[in-house]
Amino acid sequence: MTTIQLDLTGLKCPLPALKTRRALGRIEPGDRLEVHCTDPLAAIDIPNLISETGDRIENIARDGDKITFLIERRADP
């Protein structure tokens, strides 16, 4: 199991969700994606994206204006 980090700090909607979708398509099932964002809308957009893709958010952490998502890539249907 590999964890890939994706730094999206400073990007505004819709870029964090779009880049997260692209990154999820490049990793293997079982791998994790750690996404770092500062856009407040990412707190809505990324969970919505994950509900569409069927992947799983393992953790959401906030530190000031920074939001970190730990996402597990699930097997494609």
Side-chain angles (χ1 to χ4, degrees):
M1 181 180 318
T2 304
T3 300
I4 307 296
Q5 293 197 5
L6 185 61
D7 184 5
L8 303 176
T9 57
L11 296 180
K12 298 293 182 187
C13 182
L15 290 176
L18 294 173
K19 289 184 178 281
T20 298
R21 180 186 295 273
R22 182 180 297 157
L24 283 169
R26 294 181 179 160
I27 65 174
E28 297 295 322
D31 287 348
R32 293 182 179 150
L33 185 63
E34 185 176 292
V35 181
H36 300 272
C37 302
T38 51
D39 181 12
L41 291 176
I44 298 167
D45 293 342
I46 291 180
N48 284 340
L49 166 68
I50 299 308
S51 71
E52 290 176 12
T53 64
D55 299 312
R56 184 171 74 92
I57 295 179
E58 290 187 1
N59 189 37
I60 301 174
R62 291 180 181 259
D63 183 16
D65 65 344
K66 189 174 189 179
I67 307 167
T68 302
F69 299 90
L70 184 60
I71 304 166
E72 178 189 358
R73 178 74 167 137
R74 294 281 176 107
D76 292 327

